[in-house]
Amino acid sequence: MNIKAALLALLAYAIFSTHDVVVKILGADVSPVQLVFFSSLLSFPLLVLMLVKDATPGHLRPVHPWWMAARSATMAVIPASAFYAFSELPLAETYALLFATPLLITLLSIPILGERVGLPRLAAVVVGFIGVMVVLRPGATSFGLGHAAALFASFCAAFQSVVLRKISADERRVVLMIYPMLMTFAVMGLALPLVYVPLEGVTFGGIAIVALFGFCATLLTVSAYTIGEAAIVAPMQYSQIIWATIFSVVLFNEKVDLMTLVGAAIIIASGIFIVLREAFGGRSDNTPVLRTRTRGYTAGGTNVSLMLKRRSEEKPAE
């Protein structure tokens, strides 16, 4: 089953990469705020259907209101930040910086989850951030808003993931979904008049593709984690760097920078080491990276992941 899970994950991340190509193309003419608002809007009916059908007892008041507010506010800005980075930077460079998320999860899990992080994982984090510096090359290249947006998205994705790990045992899944969703609509809706441009049919079709591909890829990812071991599935996300290299050359005529690939390789190696250490090292109480089963920067992706995970848990065992 692990082979099947790995193949499903590879397919999922190929679709995610295509999703990001469409985002990059649309980002040339449309603000990331508008892209996030409408792509989230298109997935809204499915999420509402899940909320209506949720039969678990309880109310919609969060057990941890401050953590919920922090997570919701964070999730509202992640996709727009990532979408902006995709529109401004080469694909491979954007992915390399977003791949820092597992490193940040490891660090944030110490104060938020009380995770015990030993010297090997701390060393992997340090090596990973050296890889980030190789990608950024301070002094040799200019640090732009696109780089800042990618790093901000990476940090926020890590933060919301760790907070989710902290509160998910106490909160109803419907509560975990509805507040970030409403916050995203509120934040993007308030900013929309400042950046709105009329959408042509082709552009709106592209946004529909973003919403559809994000949902389908999330479905495949959850399926992969359901049937396979997380230690096998999680490293498959790094296959996106291969697609990024191909798409950059073929579609965007971008020169793939060697140092970006070297930095990405260092970050990827660090991330894989952390995943394997959590899985087999025997010292992680929370396994925060292994439990991160969504990219975090796909509009609505975390909510869809929660919904599908709940439905899979409700299916009777065969």
Side-chain angles (χ1 to χ4, degrees):
M1 296 302 285
N2 279 334
I3 294 177
K4 182 179 179 181
L7 292 175
L8 284 175
L10 287 173
L11 177 59
Y13 288 112
I15 295 173
F16 272 133
S17 298
T18 309
H19 162 288
D20 297 335
V21 166
V22 179
V23 167
K24 184 174 180 64
I25 293 172
L26 294 175
D29 302 309
V30 181
S31 165
V33 170
Q34 191 166 349
L35 290 178
V36 173
F37 181 83
F38 282 103
S39 59
S40 298
L41 187 64
L42 289 173
S43 62
F44 185 76
L46 179 65
L47 296 175
V48 169
L49 182 63
M50 181 270 165
L51 298 179
V52 171
K53 289 186 174 183
D54 186 274
T56 56
H59 48 70
L60 295 180
R61 294 194 304 273
V63 177
H64 304 280
W66 292 111
W67 283 120
M68 184 65 69
R71 178 172 179 266
S72 299
T74 301
M75 288 186 66
V77 298
I78 294 172
S81 299
F83 285 12
Y84 179 78
F86 280 121
S87 68
E88 292 292 314
L89 302 176
L91 284 172
E93 194 168 339
T94 305
Y95 279 132
L97 297 177
L98 292 173
F99 286 161
T101 299
L103 312 178
L104 293 166
I105 288 175
T106 302
L107 290 180
L108 290 174
S109 68
I110 299 173
I112 296 176
L113 298 178
E115 173 79 345
R116 296 176 297 170
V117 177
L119 185 60
R121 276 195 290 164
L122 285 177
V125 170
V126 172
V127 171
F129 283 121
I130 291 174
V132 172
M133 290 298 102
V134 172
V135 173
L136 294 176
R137 296 191 295 285
T141 59
S142 58
F143 183 86
L145 289 177
H147 300 95
L151 291 173
F152 182 70
S154 182
F155 175 82
C156 290
F159 177 79
Q160 74 83 21
S161 178
V162 174
V163 172
L164 177 62
R165 180 76 183 94
K166 182 178 181 67
I167 67 177
S168 60
D170 301 323
E171 301 284 3
R172 296 174 66 200
R173 197 153 282 126
V174 63
V175 173
L176 293 170
M177 289 172 57
I178 194 169
Y179 286 102
M181 182 172 63
L182 293 177
M183 181 70 79
T184 299
F185 279 121
V187 173
M188 296 298 109
L190 288 172
L192 187 61
L194 303 176
V195 298
Y196 179 79
V197 295
L199 296 178
E200 299 178 356
V202 173
T203 303
F204 195 79
I207 294 175
I209 290 174
V210 169
L212 177 63
F213 279 22
F215 173 78
C216 292
T218 301
L219 171 61
L220 289 169
T221 304
V222 173
S223 298
Y225 276 108
T226 300
I227 67 174
E229 297 177 37
I232 300 297
V233 176
M236 297 302 109
Q237 65 177 303
Y238 298 119
S239 64
Q240 292 174 108
I241 200 71
I242 299 173
W243 290 110
T245 303
I246 295 171
F247 287 140
S248 293
V249 173
V250 175
L251 297 180
F252 301 107
N253 198 29
E254 295 173 344
K255 183 179 178 181
V256 181
D257 185 82
L258 177 61
M259 293 305 293
T260 296
L261 294 179
V262 170
I266 295 172
I267 298 168
I268 289 169
S270 301
I272 292 176
F273 178 85
I274 290 171
V275 166
L276 296 178
R277 188 71 182 177
E278 283 191 5
F280 306 113
R283 295 193 59 184
S284 177
D285 296 326
N286 301 287
T287 57
V289 175
L290 280 177
R291 291 177 182 268
T292 301
R293 303 186 176 189
T294 178
R295 294 201 309 171
Y297 52 88
T298 301
T302 301
N303 282 334
V304 173
S305 178
L306 283 168
M307 177 191 70
L308 294 171
K309 184 175 183 293
R310 182 182 186 281
R311 291 184 63 182
S312 67
E313 289 170 349
E314 290 175 346
K315 290 177 66 177
E318 297 179 358

